[in-house]
Amino acid sequence: MEQPSLVQPALDAGFETPFIDLDEWREQPVPHRYVHGGFEGTETRFSFYFPPAARYEGRFFQHVTPVPDSEHLAQTLTGRQGKIDFAASSGAYFVETNGGGPDFAMPGGAGDPTIAAYRANAASAAYSRIVAAEMYGDHRPYGYLYGGSGGGFRTLGAAENTVGVWDGFVPYVIGSPLAIPNVFTVRMHAMRLLRDMFDLIDDAYDVGGTGDPSPHLGIEEREALAEVTRMGFPPRSWFGHRTMGAHAFSALYGGVAAIDPGYFEDFWTTEGYLGAEDDSSVHRDRLRWETEVAEVLRGAVDGISHGPRGGVDQAFRGSEDRDGAILGIRLTASAPIDAQLADLVVTSGAAVGARLTLGSVIGDVATIDIPGAGAALEGMRPGDTVAIDNSNVLAAQTYHRHQVPGSDFTVWDQFRNVDGIPVHPQRPFLVGPIFAQATAGTIQSGRFTGKMIVVASLLDREAFPWQADWYAAKAREHAGAEADDRFRLWFVDHALHGDDEVQEHPTRSVSYLGALNEALRQLAAWVERGEEPAAGTAYDVIDGQVVVPETAGERRGIQPVATLEAEGRERVETAVGTEVTLRLRAEMPPRAGRLIAIDWDLDGDGAFDTSEEVVPTEAVELVRGIRFDRPGTRFVTARVVAQGTGDPESPWARVETLARVRIVVDGACR
C-alpha cells in the first residue's frame, strides 16, 4: 500500500506553539524515550512514549479516556492493561493527553467542547509526528485512535471531524446519541422494582435455567423486566446486580436536572407520568426525610455498597486513593426506606445550604460515590441536620419513556402505539443528543475517514449492545459499496463494559482487552498492507437484543466459540460419587488466531484452578470425567483462550470466551 504523504496537517489554531518540558529515557515498563509537554496558551498536555528504533515499525497508538483525564495514566497500568508496553510490542509509540485540561473534565464544562472531543488529541497527534520524525528519520507515522465508552464517543467525534490526523479508529463499547441518560434510567427503574428478585432472575438466565423468570414475578415486576430487556439490557448480565449500582448516572443526573428541570414537577403532578398514578409503587419507595448527623465518615470506609440493596462487595469504589475525603455520613436513625441515589441538603451547621447527590441511603448510612463531592460537606459536625429526598431520582427512572426518538431507534417502539405515536407525554426536546454532542463534538453520523473496527460487548450493561449496530448501520449507509473495505464490527460474548483485566466474576465474564489488542493490530495491517481483518460478527437484533449464531463459522468475528456439555446436556442431575462426562468443543472463526489454552473451574467455586495447554489450533474437543462427594448445585466452567498469532507466551491479543454447565448433585449414592 502506498505510504501517505509526508506532509503533516497544520497545527490547529490555538495549538500553534507546542513545547516540551521533559525529555528523558526510561526503562519501565519497557525501554522508551518519554516526552512530556503541551501547547502554549492552553491547558492541553501530552505524553509521548517512543520505543527504541529497533522496535519501531512506523506507527502510533493513541488512547482516548471517557472524559478528559491525566496525560500520565498509561504510566500506572500494568499487566494486560498496559498501553505503553502493548504499543511497543506492536511496533508503535504511544500517545496520551489530558484532553484539554480540567475545564473540560465533564460535558458542559467551560470552553469549546470540540477541544476535549478531538482537537486537543488531534493537535497532540500531529505534533507527535514531528518529534517521531526527528527521532526515527523523515517519515509520516501511521496513526490509530482508540477509546471506550465516553472515549468511544470522542473517538467517533475525531473520526468524523478530522482528516489526515489518524488513519484508523477503534471505538469500543460505544453508545448511541440516545444513550444518555436512557440506558441508566431504565436500568435503575428495573433495579428498584426487581431488587428482591435478582437471584431468581439470574438463576433463570444462567446455563441450565428456565430462561424465563416471569412466572415468579408480580405484574409490575414483569413489566419492568420486559421494559429494560426490550430497551437492550442483556438478561444474562444480571449476575452483577449486587455491585451494579447507578454507574455514571450519579454524575449525569445533575445535568439532566439542569437541562429539563420542569420534568421533575410534571412527573408527580401530570397525567401520563408514573408519579401521577396513585397505585404506582413509586410512592411506596419515595423518601422525604429530615434527620441529624451522627458521624462524618472519611477515608476508606468498609461495609457500605452502592448496590441496589446495600451489599458489601464493592463499597466506596475507588476510595483507597481518597483517604481523608468525606465519603458518607452516619445518621442518628435508620432511614424508613432504603434508596439508591437521593438528594441531600444540609439544613443547619457550618455546611448549611450544601447540596449533593448521595450514592445510596442504606439503614443509617448515606454514601457519596462521586469522587470529590464530599468536599461540599466540610465543616459538618454531629448534630447538624440534613434533608434527604429521592423524589427527583425516582422521577428520573422513567425519563426514557418521555424521550421517544425517531423510528430508527426501534427499542422505543414499546412506547409507541400502532400508529407510531408515543403513548406517554413527551418532553420538548431530546436530552441524549445534547450529551452526545458535548462529548463527541458532534452527534454521531457514521460518516468518517479512514478505516474502523468497532469492538462491542454482548453483556454490556452501560452501552447496550444494539447501539453498536445502530452506528454500524449509519457507517454502512455512508460508505455504501466501500463499507466492507473500511468498517468492521466485532461483538465479544461474555464481556462487560469496563476495559479491565481482572473480572469481578471470572466464571461469568471475560475481559475484551485481547480483542481490543487484536483490533488495533489487524487495523494497522489493513491500513498499511491491505490485509483483510477478521470478518465482522454476524448477528440479528431482535426486540432490543443482539443475537449471534451458535457456531464460529457462522458467527465470524474475532472470538472463539465454545460449548460445554455434561452427559450431552447443559444441565444434568446426578448423585454423589457418580462420574459425569464433560465434553468441551471450541473453534475459531476465520482469520481470528489460534486456540492456545483451556482453564477450568471444576468445583464451581468461581476460580480457575486447573489449566490445560493446547497445541495452537483452530478447533479442539476435550473429554474428561468429574464426580462430586457432596450434594449441591455446581456450575462447571471452561475458559477458552485464543491468541492472534497462536503464541501461548504472549500476554497480548489473548481473546477469551466461556462455556458453562449446571450439575445438580443429590445426596443419594448410586
Side-chain angles (χ1 to χ4, degrees):
M1 186 173 182
E2 184 179 352
Q3 171 74 20
S5 169
L6 293 177
V7 177
Q8 309 284 358
L11 290 177
D12 189 359
F15 296 90
E16 300 97 335
T17 311
F19 66 84
I20 292 174
D21 56 16
L22 181 61
D23 188 340
E24 64 184 19
W25 190 260
R26 295 181 175 179
E27 295 296 329
Q28 298 298 328
V30 291
H32 67 278
R33 175 190 174 194
Y34 175 65
V35 175
H36 179 273
F39 296 90
E40 291 184 6
T42 79
E43 295 299 316
T44 298
R45 299 294 181 266
F46 54 73
S47 289
F48 305 152
Y49 307 84
F50 296 101
R55 299 194 67 182
Y56 178 61
E57 297 175 4
R59 67 182 68 95
F60 70 87
F61 295 155
Q62 182 173 356
H63 184 253
V64 185
T65 50
V67 296
D69 209 322
S70 169
E71 74 277 18
H72 303 294
L73 289 180
Q75 301 169 34
T76 68
L77 299 175
T78 59
R80 291 171 59 195
Q81 292 179 237
K83 293 180 169 64
I84 302 169
D85 35 351
F86 168 69
S89 75
S90 306
Y93 66 87
F94 183 70
V95 174
E96 62 178 342
T97 82
N98 68 348
D103 286 346
F104 302 94
M106 289 299 293
D112 182 349
T114 64
I115 291 176
Y118 54 85
R119 287 175 58 204
N121 289 321
S124 300
Y127 183 57
S128 81
R129 284 195 170 98
I130 295 173
V131 180
E134 293 171 351
M135 178 174 177
Y136 300 118
D138 193 23
H139 72 299
R140 178 195 179 276
Y142 293 93
Y144 305 98
L145 189 72
Y146 69 111
S149 190
F153 275 96
R154 298 169 71 203
T155 301
L156 293 174
E160 295 182 357
N161 291 282
T162 65
V163 177
V165 180
W166 298 282
D167 303 286
F169 307 87
V170 180
Y172 59 98
V173 293
I174 58 174
S176 70
L178 271 297
I180 300 171
N182 302 301
V183 297
F184 299 109
T185 62
V186 70
R187 189 177 86 177
M188 291 169 60
H189 177 65
M191 291 175 72
R192 177 179 67 84
L193 287 166
L194 299 169
R195 58 196 177 197
D196 296 319
M197 306 301 294
F198 277 124
D199 287 337
L200 182 150
I201 292 169
D202 175 39
D203 185 77
Y205 289 125
D206 201 356
V207 64
T210 65
D212 181 15
S214 59
H216 304 282
L217 306 178
I219 294 175
E220 197 173 16
E221 293 168 334
R222 287 199 299 271
E223 291 175 346
L225 182 60
E227 181 175 342
V228 72
T229 304
R230 290 173 183 149
M231 280 290 285
F233 185 96
R236 289 183 294 139
S237 206
W238 283 120
F239 65 82
H241 66 89
R242 286 183 176 83
T243 55
M244 201 177 299
H247 203 264
F249 191 73
S250 300
L252 298 169
Y253 160 64
V256 176
I259 293 170
D260 190 6
Y263 169 79
F264 299 93
E265 176 69 23
D266 293 344
F267 176 84
W268 296 103
T269 60
T270 303
E271 183 178 356
Y273 293 85
L274 187 63
E277 299 177 9
D278 292 337
D279 59 349
S280 170
S281 66
V282 74
H283 300 287
R284 174 200 68 198
D285 293 331
R286 192 176 187 182
L287 175 65
R288 289 178 289 180
W289 184 44
E290 294 185 4
T291 188
E292 292 185 3
V293 175
E295 181 185 3
V296 177
L297 304 175
R298 295 178 180 270
V301 182
D302 295 326
I304 304 169
S305 169
H306 303 134
R309 294 292 287 176
V312 298
D313 296 274
Q314 288 186 344
F316 286 113
R317 186 189 302 267
S319 65
E320 61 275 8
D321 60 2
R322 291 188 284 138
D323 288 351
I326 296 177
L327 300 182
I329 55 177
R330 192 175 303 279
L331 308 166
T332 56
S334 291
I337 302 168
D338 290 349
Q340 180 186 11
L341 298 188
D343 294 313
L344 177 142
V345 178
V346 182
T347 54
S348 73
V352 65
R355 297 171 176 266
L356 55 79
T357 300
L358 297 170
S360 64
V361 183
I362 309 294
D364 65 349
V365 173
T367 70
I368 302 167
D369 63 355
I370 300 177
L377 304 184
E378 290 293 346
M380 176 179 279
R381 297 289 183 269
D384 292 351
T385 57
V386 296
I388 298 175
D389 190 337
N390 71 341
S391 299
N392 287 356
V393 173
L394 290 173
Q397 291 176 2
T398 47
Y399 193 72
H400 54 278
R401 296 180 180 178
H402 311 281
Q403 292 281 287
V404 178
S407 59
D408 55 333
F409 291 93
T410 58
V411 299
W412 269 272
D413 287 350
Q414 61 184 304
F415 306 119
R416 307 183 224 261
N417 63 21
V418 293
D419 297 318
I421 306 300
V423 299
H424 300 99
Q426 296 299 294
R427 306 309 297 168
F429 47 79
L430 297 176
V431 168
I434 298 173
F435 281 100
Q437 184 159 2
T439 304
T442 55
I443 298 171
Q444 305 97 298
S445 67
R447 189 188 301 275
F448 62 89
T449 60
K451 298 181 185 293
M452 180 181 293
I453 298 177
V454 174
V455 177
S457 298
L458 285 181
L459 297 191
D460 199 327
R461 307 156 182 163
E462 286 78 45
F464 297 163
W466 64 262
Q467 297 177 105
D469 167 71
W470 179 88
Y471 189 80
K474 294 295 183 184
R476 294 184 184 112
E477 174 186 330
H478 289 296
E482 296 181 352
D484 287 343
D485 295 326
R486 298 183 53 214
F487 183 83
R488 292 288 191 276
L489 167 55
W490 293 343
F491 280 108
V492 182
D493 197 10
H494 305 290
L496 302 174
H497 189 70
D499 51 0
D500 306 307
E501 177 181 0
V502 177
Q503 301 294 295
E504 181 185 359
H505 303 283
T507 60
R508 304 298 297 274
S509 63
V510 300
S511 171
Y512 58 75
L513 285 173
L516 196 58
N517 294 163
E518 191 65 10
L520 286 164
R521 288 178 171 179
Q522 290 204 20
L523 178 65
W526 196 13
V527 168
E528 298 166 24
R529 300 189 296 276
E531 297 177 8
E532 286 280 321
T537 304
Y539 63 89
D540 291 309
V541 180
I542 301 174
D543 212 7
Q545 296 297 309
V546 174
V547 180
V548 294
E550 295 185 357
T551 68
E554 295 174 307
R555 186 180 302 185
R556 306 195 300 269
I558 198 66
Q559 186 182 31
V561 175
T563 59
L564 180 62
E565 295 176 340
E567 302 297 337
R569 302 185 296 277
E570 65 177 16
R571 175 190 177 118
V572 66
E573 297 183 7
T574 188
V576 167
T578 300
E579 183 170 280
V580 175
T581 300
L582 301 175
R583 185 179 301 274
L584 173 70
R585 298 181 179 90
E587 58 179 341
M588 293 299 299
R591 301 194 301 277
R594 298 289 186 271
L595 301 168
I596 60 169
I598 311 292
D599 301 319
W600 291 94
D601 172 18
L602 293 170
D603 54 11
D605 66 353
F608 293 101
D609 42 29
T610 302
S611 296
E612 295 186 45
E613 292 186 4
V614 176
V615 175
T617 183
E618 293 183 352
V620 69
E621 180 171 339
L622 300 176
V623 178
R624 66 185 304 155
I626 190 172
R627 53 170 52 90
F628 299 95
D629 58 7
R630 293 190 307 276
T633 298
R634 312 292 202 285
F635 289 91
V636 175
T637 307
R639 180 171 61 197
V640 177
V641 185
Q643 203 277 335
T645 60
D647 180 1
E649 302 302 321
S650 174
W652 313 116
R654 297 172 70 91
V655 184
E656 302 169 345
T657 194
L658 299 174
R660 285 163 61 84
V661 67
R662 184 188 304 227
I663 302 176
V664 182
V665 184
D666 66 36
C669 295
R670 297 179 185 173

